[in-house]
Amino acid sequence: MSSRNALVRRTSGSRGGASAAAPSGPEPAWWSLPPERARTLLLVAARPTICALTVMVVVVLLVMLTSGTELTSAPGAVAATWLAAHQIPLTVGRTTLGLLPLVPTVVLVWLAARECARAVPDRPTPVDLGWLAAAVLAGPLVVTSVCLAVVGDAAGVTPLEPPGPVTAFGWVLVLYLAAAAAGICGRAWDSLCALVSVDVPEWAVLGARAARRTVLRLLACAAMATVISFCTHLSRVGETYRQAHDVTDVLGMTVVSLLYLPNVIVGAAGMLSGAAVQFGAGSVGLFGVSAGQVPPVPALIPLPTGPASAWWPVLLLVPLAVGVLGGVELGRTSDDRPGAPWATLTCAGLSTFTFLVLAVLSSGQLGAVGWVGPDLLMLVVLMVTWIGFGGFVGMVFARRFLAPATGYADYAYDEDDDYYYEDDYADDDEYTDDDYADDDEYPADPAVEVDAELVEDIDDEPEVSIAAPGSVTPPTDEIVDAEVVEPDLPEGDGDTGR
């Protein structure tokens, strides 16, 4: 009996304490995760990596089966494919292959960024973002360490030498940190700025958006130039595929050329800016072509040969026109007139940095040929010059001769005070009250018509009529003074009155 009473007292006390104040326990540690969040992070770490490995295994096995290669070297080939897809240089015998295709790298980074963006919470905290970045890096780092071990074990079967671990892990860290940053910033940019307490100026945001459009436009122009050059050099197709022995070789050369197509487009963009593309001791540019060893692959069919033509420097107008177009857009859409030049400078700087990164990724050592890729120093100088100068020209032109794009048609600019002031709504000659006086063309809405007497009644002071409680007679216009008297309740229970 006593134990039952103790149990009752303990239960009732716990209920009362819970209702009065919740028990204050220690806050969960930063490394503790809810099960649902842990599952999401596990998918971020595993799903892109597993999908990429599956595709690589299928491709390697398909190539080996079609070419009649023994499957004993399949693990080493899969590991080498993973490393090559992350721009990690490979050494086969005494040949170093550092010029690697961009298509697998772009696909892997895009998959990781997409998975990261889907896992960003609505209101992320620094701990959430840290866990998310760690999840993006975890899967590729684990697979890279396994691939390095597999390549080291397969060195006795294949002439493939394992790359340095610093180089391998460095490339993986850089690529997937960029993927995590792209996914997080693309999904929660405002929340990220609020976390770091940084107020990004409007001109910086406009410049970044203009830089993205500028890069895409210049890449599109480079792709168009590549297609035109390919069509003008169709006679080289037969000579290039003459080294193929069967249909498998033709298919392999075509697939490899398609994988290297983004590298060719980046090189073409560098050539349009005026920077030469180096092929070992030789180079190809708008101002001259020097002899060099060029690999006989279909991807290099658009490459110009022979002496430079006199009209080739005219192509320098392409990046200049792209810069002018970006400046015109900034001049028409930016309401921050003093900050528009800074937006133009930001556009030029970010565009040049993007092309520098693309040029580094698309360049490298190619065996006996040597270094292949654009001249990086000239690329930076010329890109900043064309995009920056063209941007300022377009911005000034838009300010002087073009109307604002949206939202600023009724505002004029005061050059002395450097601000926008509200102008007249329109010229008196263009818009007059007579234009809207025709009742037949613009009939009045009967629901909007208001009686004048009703307006006068509304403006007068209202009268209040109060009827006596329980009276059946309607209230009169006279105001009745009523006094409410509350009877004294007898002492006792409030419910019964006793």
Side-chain angles (χ1 to χ4, degrees):
M1 186 69 178
S2 61
S3 61
R4 181 176 181 275
N5 294 335
L7 179 61
V8 171
R9 286 195 300 270
R10 193 180 303 114
T11 306
S12 61
S14 62
R15 289 180 180 177
S19 61
S24 59
E27 296 182 357
W30 62 269
W31 59 81
S32 62
L33 289 173
E36 186 65 25
R37 187 61 182 169
R39 176 179 174 274
T40 302
L41 295 178
L42 182 61
L43 290 177
V44 171
R47 184 151 54 186
T49 304
I50 292 176
C51 292
L53 274 179
T54 302
V55 173
M56 292 178 186
V57 170
V58 171
V59 171
V60 169
L61 292 179
L62 184 62
V63 171
M64 287 187 169
L65 291 176
T66 54
S67 61
T69 308
E70 295 182 0
L71 297 180
T72 55
S73 59
V78 173
T81 304
W82 172 269
L83 297 177
H86 291 83
Q87 299 296 314
I88 301 172
L90 301 176
T91 302
V92 182
R94 296 182 179 181
T95 303
T96 301
L97 182 61
L99 181 62
L100 299 168
L102 280 178
V103 171
T105 307
V106 172
V107 172
L108 289 175
V109 172
W110 176 77
L111 287 175
R114 178 174 175 269
E115 197 70 30
C116 178
R118 293 174 58 184
V120 175
D122 294 334
R123 295 180 179 179
T125 62
V127 176
D128 294 335
L129 299 181
W131 274 112
L132 192 56
V136 174
L137 292 172
L141 288 177
V142 171
V143 175
T144 302
S145 60
V146 173
C147 290
L148 289 176
V150 170
V151 170
D153 293 340
V157 180
T158 60
L160 182 63
E161 296 182 5
V166 176
T167 303
F169 289 116
W171 274 107
V172 173
L173 284 173
V174 169
L175 292 176
Y176 285 95
L177 281 178
I184 293 173
C185 294
R187 182 66 180 273
W189 173 254
D190 296 335
S191 301
L192 188 62
C193 292
L195 286 177
V196 298
S197 300
V198 174
D199 187 11
V200 180
E202 183 183 0
W203 55 262
V205 177
L206 293 176
R209 293 174 180 173
R212 181 185 61 181
R213 295 191 297 267
T214 300
V215 171
L216 293 178
R217 287 167 182 164
L218 194 51
L219 288 177
C221 293
M224 187 180 302
T226 302
V227 173
I228 294 174
S229 181
F230 180 83
C231 294
T232 57
H233 295 88
L234 287 177
S235 59
R236 302 181 191 172
V237 176
E239 299 177 1
T240 304
Y241 282 102
R242 191 173 299 171
Q243 299 180 358
H245 300 287
D246 51 12
V247 179
T248 304
D249 293 344
V250 173
L251 182 61
M253 294 176 64
T254 304
V255 172
V256 170
S257 297
L258 291 177
L259 293 178
Y260 276 98
L261 186 58
N263 302 60
V264 176
I265 294 176
V266 172
M271 289 183 61
L272 290 178
S273 67
V277 177
Q278 299 177 353
F279 287 90
S283 62
V284 178
L286 297 180
F287 299 96
V289 178
S290 59
Q293 185 179 358
V294 179
V297 293
L300 297 180
I301 291 177
L303 191 68
T305 59
S309 300
W311 64 270
W312 286 3
V314 179
L315 296 176
L316 295 175
L317 295 176
V318 173
L320 181 62
V322 172
V324 169
L325 182 57
V328 168
E329 291 181 348
L330 288 175
R332 296 188 64 192
T333 59
S334 177
D335 59 343
D336 184 10
R337 193 174 180 87
W342 292 104
T344 305
L345 186 61
T346 303
C347 173
L350 291 179
S351 301
T352 303
F353 178 75
T354 303
F355 275 106
L356 177 62
V357 172
L358 293 176
V360 171
L361 291 175
S362 60
S363 306
Q365 194 75 18
L366 186 60
V369 176
W371 178 266
V372 177
D375 188 352
L376 300 181
L377 180 59
M378 292 300 299
L379 178 70
V380 171
V381 173
L382 293 173
M383 282 290 182
V384 169
T385 301
W386 298 128
I387 299 177
F389 177 74
F392 276 102
V393 171
M395 181 192 63
V396 172
F397 177 81
R399 285 181 172 182
R400 296 295 181 183
F401 302 104
L402 298 180
T406 55
Y408 308 108
D410 297 333
Y411 290 83
Y413 182 74
D414 191 347
E415 295 181 355
D416 298 332
D417 297 333
D418 197 14
Y419 71 100
Y420 282 98
Y421 67 89
E422 186 174 3
D423 197 0
D424 295 334
Y425 293 103
D427 296 333
D428 295 336
D429 296 337
E430 184 176 1
Y431 299 101
T432 58
D433 295 335
D434 296 337
D435 296 337
Y436 304 97
D438 192 355
D439 295 335
D440 297 335
E441 184 176 0
Y442 299 96
D445 189 356
V448 184
E449 296 181 356
V450 181
D451 192 0
E453 297 179 359
L454 179 59
V455 174
E456 294 177 358
D457 294 338
I458 293 175
D459 294 336
D460 295 336
E461 184 177 357
E463 297 179 356
V464 180
S465 299
I466 303 176
S471 175
V472 296
T473 61
T476 62
D477 295 336
E478 298 179 356
I479 300 177
V480 180
D481 295 331
E483 181 180 0
V484 179
V485 180
E486 297 181 357
D488 296 332
L489 298 176
E491 298 181 356
D493 191 358
D495 297 335
T496 59
R498 293 174 296 180

